[in-house]
Amino acid sequence: NAGVMQNPRHLVRRRGQEARLRCSPMKGHSHVYWYRQLPEEGLKFMVYLQKENIIDESGMPKERFSAEFPKEGPSILRIQQVVRGDSAAYFCASSPPGRGPYGYTFGSGTRLTVV
Amino acid sequence: AQSVTQPDIHITVSEGASLELRCNYSYGATPYLFWYVQSPGQGLQLLLKYFSGDTLVQGIKGFEAEFKRSQSSFNLRKPSVHWSDAAEYFCAVGVGNQGGKLIFGQGTELSVKP
């Protein structure tokens, strides 16, 4: 079991470009959660997805950010027209059904740098 | 509103000394409580978690935490710190709406001096 896989580990984008971050959950985990860690801060919840469904997106910025978790393939966090303030570490966690945070496994994160 | 407070931004202890990292939470229901550790540039590793049962929870790497409902606290302790324990420590509370998410504290950075 390879754990939660996030790629890329590091991503550099110029202002105005798009960033796509991928998260492959652990085998048997059908729930995915995205968190953002700004420099010198704790992690902040962004979005919770199940296959083909967004369950809770209360932490997502209203513009430029979107997330999906298709029936096949990894979950994708997409940031359009990136700005310097988007520079952060983005972590994904997966969990089996019904376990919520008690069943979380975190990935190693994607560090996004906007130049 | 749910929140987690870690009052100490940075703590320095000598190797071999005891350690206590403070965590206070605000949550109306019975909380799920967690402690994670993060080394520089790395992901989060779960140290321990609590939902019910014995209020003293044992975790990995010799860490333990005690849940005190009356004080809304979940402090992390270790009797003897090793240099490899230097890292950032995060306390978190799980909130249960719609399957749950974590609310994290700001973190406490631990430095260990020889």
Side-chain angles (χ1 to χ4, degrees):
Chain A
N1 194 335
V4 178
M5 303 301 292
Q6 288 190 251
N7 64 80
R9 288 294 304 273
H10 300 275
L11 181 62
V12 179
R13 284 288 177 265
R14 296 187 184 278
R15 280 178 294 169
Q17 290 184 320
E18 178 180 286
R20 284 191 179 224
L21 289 62
R22 294 174 186 77
C23 170
S24 296
M26 282 186 69
K27 189 175 181 181
H29 289 193
S30 56
H31 297 201
V32 166
Y33 305 76
W34 286 93
Y35 289 79
R36 176 166 67 172
Q37 185 179 30
L38 293 169
E40 309 298 325
E41 293 190 16
L43 281 77
K44 297 279 197 301
F45 169 79
M46 299 181 76
V47 63
Y48 160 38
L49 310 104
Q50 297 176 15
K51 289 277 188 183
E52 300 184 284
N53 276 306
I54 297 174
I55 307 302
D56 181 355
E57 55 182 347
S58 58
M60 286 280 269
K62 293 286 185 279
E63 298 176 347
R64 301 188 297 108
F65 285 71
S66 62
E68 63 176 3
F69 189 16
K71 188 176 180 181
E72 301 292 337
S75 176
I76 306 285
L77 180 67
R78 183 181 176 209
I79 311 172
Q80 296 178 287
Q81 300 175 330
V82 296
V83 301
R84 289 235 170 95
D86 296 332
S87 294
Y90 292 82
F91 290 95
C92 161
S94 71
S95 182
R99 294 277 287 168
Y102 218 65
Y104 270 23
T105 300
F106 275 95
S108 296
T110 293
R111 274 115 186 121
L112 172 66
T113 302
V114 179
V115 297
Chain B
Q2 304 102 345
S3 66
V4 176
T5 302
Q6 293 180 246
D8 304 306
I9 304 293
H10 188 203
I11 283 182
T12 300
V13 299
S14 298
E15 191 166 16
S18 63
L19 170 70
E20 183 169 26
L21 302 181
R22 296 184 289 163
C23 172
N24 293 95
Y25 68 90
S26 172
Y27 184 56
T30 301
Y32 291 79
L33 293 162
F34 305 80
W35 275 100
Y36 286 89
V37 61
Q38 183 182 35
S39 297
Q42 301 298 310
L44 283 87
Q45 182 179 25
L46 178 68
L47 288 175
L48 46 80
K49 58 189 176 184
Y50 171 80
F51 175 59
S52 64
D54 192 345
T55 55
L56 186 62
V57 183
Q58 301 299 320
I60 62 171
K61 303 185 178 186
F63 285 93
E64 66 178 27
E66 186 170 13
F67 171 58
K68 293 185 177 179
R69 186 186 297 276
S70 61
Q71 297 176 20
S72 297
S73 69
F74 189 57
N75 294 349
L76 182 72
R77 301 194 294 248
K78 186 169 184 178
S80 177
V81 169
H82 188 263
W83 64 266
S84 61
D85 293 324
E88 185 106 28
Y89 291 79
F90 292 98
C91 180
V93 63
V95 297
N97 269 352
Q98 300 181 16
K101 60 192 178 190
L102 289 176
I103 294 175
F104 284 86
Q106 293 276 77
T108 297
E109 184 179 355
L110 173 66
S111 297
V112 180
K113 58 183 181 182

